[in-house]
Amino acid sequence: MRILCPYCGERDAHEFSIRGEAPMTRPVVIGVPMAEAVAALHDRRNPPGRTREFWYHGAGCRSWLLVDRDLRTHEVFGATLASGAF
Amino acid sequence: MRYSALSLAWNAATGHRFWKPAWRDAEPKPAYDVVIVGGGGHGLATAFYLAKNHGVRRIAVVEKGWIGNGSVGRNTTIIRSNYLHPANTRFYEFSMKLWEGLEQALNYNVMVSQRSILNVFHSDAQRDAYARRGNAMRIAGVDAELLDTDGVRKRYPFFDFDNARFPIRGGLLQPRGGTVRHDAVAWGYARAASDLGVDIIQNAEVVGIDIQGGRAVAVETTRGRITADRIGISVAGHTSHVAAMAGLVLPIESHVIQAFVTEAVKPLISGVVTFGAGHFYISQSDKGGLVFGGDIDGYGSYAGRGNLPVAEDVAEGGMALMPAIGRLRILRNWGGVVDMTPDGSPFIDLTPVQNLYLNGGWNYGGFKATPAAGWTFAHLLATGQSHELAAAYRLDRHATGRVIDENGQGAQPNLH
Ligand SMILES: Cc1cc2nc3c(=O)[nH]c(=O)nc-3n(C[C@H](O)[C@H](O)[C@H](O)COP(=O)(O)OP(=O)(O)OC[C@H]3O[C@@H](n4cnc5c(N)ncnc54)[C@H](O)[C@@H]3O)c2cc1C
Ligand SMILES: [Zn+2]
């Protein structure tokens, strides 16, 4: 698996670590009912298809990325910088 | 189908042309008391115990492919009950006891082999942690022995005891741990369930769950609609998207675990062994191949295959523990889809949808849990109440703080 980093180009996935699925909107965990906060922290859509994930390019530019990837095929469609994504 | 020395001899003499199927490949009926989604080890065990323990008669197991195509036929076959947390110790020890009587219960040879499991440790701190775990096990009535270096050396003289980075200081042994022939578990439960009247329906993928007035009333499958009084989801690595058919979003990610098998060699590794300074576990199959595995790949996956960095990591773990295996060739390598939860523990619970029940969140420990998961999930489906041994595996435990995090990793599914 390779990830197309906006700074470094196409790099082996081994250089990155994954944080997990990115939520659709910025999660709110303060000032909301407990159930909503717990869901925001723990629940995942985990679709059998394309999804967006946070990856960290630790052995490269050290940017946090938002990666568009297919969970069925591991195909990576692209990545953008995570900062300012929401 | 029943087996005897005579039937083996007769079938061998007649060229194996007359063996009959061991269980009925059923056609779907329009309605059942209970429909179980997923014909893996757990689904089949659930069906068997529903019929056997609770006398439920109209049961269907609906499987999208063929039974045994999922993780029940892909795992590394290890069984053990060497846990630290009381909820897990109780549950897995119950499972171990069921394994110990399973061949009699099913009248089927599932090749339960209690060849022991040894967790090797490499430092004083790790010895303390394993001593604590061993004590917790013994308090709960589970067998455990703390071995020093000589104790390990007696069993496995070829380990790299004086490895510069990871010297071996001893190990925690559970003599009753071991392996079970995984495919036979699927077949044995299938045959026993089928004999009790359970319909095993293959090539029927559940594509929808019909909910009316907050109640689950039917499943839509690729072989038609089936109504049911109760529906149990038991689809292992596929829990998220099957539960999504009922509008549920769960704290689950799907991941890939890989496994590896080498060419066959003479008896070398008598039990199951785990490395303590990385994730590597190994046993030797009856055919002689070394069977081993390690970490999940770490990224979400429904692909059922992993990538090379984990293969490299697993091989490095093996080489650090037992360099003697370094010249063996790996013959096969495969992966399977498993659920991962924020605390690494499973769910056996009611769902917010009435009549819809969940057995999911299973990862590394899912195979050894098969008998107990089937037993307790059957109890839940039959009575509508959690079995006391599974009562901790609740869906709301991340909200209540009653998490069961064996390794103390925190709420990050891919770290468990
Ligand atoms: C490589 C590997 C090694 C492992 N090693 C061990 C080990 O040593 N010890 C241990 O205890 N555990 C181990 N595990 C974990 C264990 O195998 C699983 O947790 C366990 O098998 C899951 O339960 P199951 O047998 O019911 O799953 P499965 O056999 O995967 O059953 C689930 C079934 O649901 C079906 N299904 C999915 N979606 C649908 C649908 N929409 N409609 C109908 N059917 C559907 C699937 O086709 C599948 O047959 C390992 C797993 C892997 C992948
Ligand atoms: Zn980069």
Side-chain angles (χ1 to χ4, degrees):
Chain A
M1 206 160 58
R2 289 182 181 182
I3 293 174
L4 185 60
C5 174
Y7 274 131
C8 314
E10 195 177 62
R11 308 293 304 170
D12 192 306
H14 207 176
E15 293 183 359
F16 301 77
S17 36
I18 182 172
R19 172 74 177 88
E21 178 180 298
M24 302 300 275
T25 51
R26 193 179 183 88
V28 182
V29 293
I30 294 169
V32 297
M34 182 62 141
E36 265 175 49
V38 170
L41 288 172
H42 299 92
D43 287 354
R44 307 282 194 268
R45 285 167 302 114
N46 190 25
R50 250 167 114 155
T51 190
R52 294 191 318 163
E53 304 165 318
F54 287 124
W55 289 74
Y56 177 62
H57 197 183
C61 61
R62 302 205 203 160
S63 302
W64 277 97
L65 306 178
L66 201 53
V67 177
D68 177 4
R69 198 173 64 92
D70 193 316
L71 299 187
R72 268 170 315 189
T73 60
H74 297 168
E75 184 175 354
V76 178
F77 298 98
T80 52
L81 290 180
S83 60
F86 294 117
Chain B
M1 186 82 235
R2 292 289 175 271
Y3 309 102
S4 65
L6 193 68
S7 77
L8 283 180
W10 186 81
N11 279 291
T14 52
H16 297 292
R17 279 172 296 137
F18 300 106
W19 288 112
K20 293 205 179 60
W23 46 272
R24 263 181 327 114
D25 191 19
E27 292 295 314
K29 296 195 188 90
Y32 291 91
D33 295 339
V34 179
V35 163
I36 296 158
V37 186
H42 289 216
L44 293 164
T46 304
F48 170 70
Y49 292 119
L50 261 176
K52 175 98 183 161
N53 296 355
H54 303 280
V56 180
R57 281 292 160 260
R58 300 190 318 148
I59 305 168
V61 176
V62 182
E63 163 57 47
K64 79 171 168 196
W66 62 95
I67 62 161
N69 82 88
S71 289
V72 68
R74 295 166 184 255
N75 65 77
T76 39
T77 79
I78 298 164
I79 62 166
R80 57 187 177 88
S81 54
N82 54 358
Y83 284 78
L84 176 68
H85 278 252
N88 284 338
T89 319
R90 281 196 301 270
F91 183 86
Y92 287 101
E93 177 58 11
F94 178 65
S95 209
M96 183 62 86
K97 294 214 168 90
L98 289 177
W99 284 120
E100 287 171 332
L102 194 63
E103 291 166 340
Q104 288 69 30
L106 300 179
N107 182 28
Y108 198 88
N109 184 6
V110 296
M111 299 166 72
V112 175
S113 169
Q114 293 181 290
R115 54 180 75 179
S116 82
I117 180 163
L118 176 72
N119 306 123
V120 169
F121 54 75
H122 309 271
S123 66
D124 289 344
Q126 215 174 18
R127 178 192 290 111
D128 290 347
Y130 274 128
R132 177 174 174 227
R133 197 203 289 199
N135 286 337
M137 289 163 64
R138 291 178 77 129
I139 288 168
V142 183
D143 59 323
E145 273 173 54
L146 199 67
L147 304 185
D148 59 10
T149 311
D150 283 343
V152 175
R153 203 185 294 273
K154 260 188 217 118
R155 289 169 179 263
Y156 302 104
F158 55 90
F159 282 2
D160 191 4
F161 286 87
D162 302 319
N163 184 292
R165 284 178 76 195
F166 313 119
I168 293 170
R169 301 291 190 224
L172 179 66
L173 184 78
Q174 183 185 17
R176 284 160 66 243
T179 60
V180 179
R181 174 86 167 101
H182 53 359
D183 299 314
V185 173
W187 302 327
Y189 273 120
R191 185 179 79 159
S194 180
D195 284 354
L196 292 173
V198 172
D199 280 359
I200 298 169
I201 302 161
Q202 301 186 103
N203 300 311
E205 178 171 359
V206 170
V207 290
I209 297 174
D210 189 0
I211 298 169
Q212 289 174 11
R215 286 169 183 272
V217 295
V219 290
E220 306 288 350
T221 81
T222 48
R223 295 181 68 183
R225 177 187 160 89
I226 305 174
T227 60
D229 294 345
R230 288 184 173 169
I231 298 167
I233 297 176
S234 188
V235 291
H238 297 272
T239 305
S240 293
H241 67 96
V242 173
M245 296 172 195
L248 303 177
V249 184
L250 301 174
I252 291 177
E253 296 179 356
S254 294
H255 282 270
V256 51
I257 305 186
Q258 302 193 54
F260 307 84
V261 170
T262 69
E263 57 194 314
V265 289
K266 287 186 175 173
L268 174 71
I269 299 167
S270 56
V272 179
V273 180
T274 74
F275 181 47
H279 202 165
F280 172 79
Y281 56 89
I282 188 166
S283 66
Q284 188 166 15
S285 79
D286 295 331
K287 281 190 280 186
L290 305 186
V291 182
F292 53 88
D295 271 327
I296 56 173
D297 275 46
Y299 46 80
S301 174
Y302 284 102
R305 60 183 157 73
N307 279 295
L308 288 173
V310 163
E312 185 179 19
D313 184 64
V314 167
E316 282 169 358
M319 288 303 289
L321 182 64
M322 44 178 91
I325 65 173
R327 294 178 63 186
L328 285 179
R329 280 162 295 194
I330 292 175
L331 291 190
R332 286 190 306 282
N333 152 236
W334 64 92
V337 187
V338 297
D339 282 357
M340 274 287 167
T341 60
D343 63 355
S345 293
F347 302 113
I348 303 179
D349 204 359
L350 308 144
T351 71
V353 178
Q354 268 187 52
N355 300 342
L356 183 68
Y357 300 82
L358 174 68
N359 168 46
W362 292 101
N363 38 71
Y364 287 106
F367 176 67
K368 71 179 91 80
T370 305
W375 185 287
T376 55
F377 194 42
H379 178 98
L380 178 64
L381 281 163
T383 65
Q385 317 236 309
S386 289
H387 190 282
E388 56 170 346
L389 289 169
Y393 298 143
R394 293 177 58 118
L395 259 177
D396 67 356
R397 65 173 179 269
H398 299 289
T400 58
R402 297 176 191 278
V403 295
I404 312 164
D405 185 347
E406 268 299 311
N407 301 325
Q409 298 280 32
Q412 177 66 21
N414 65 0
L415 293 184
H416 291 284

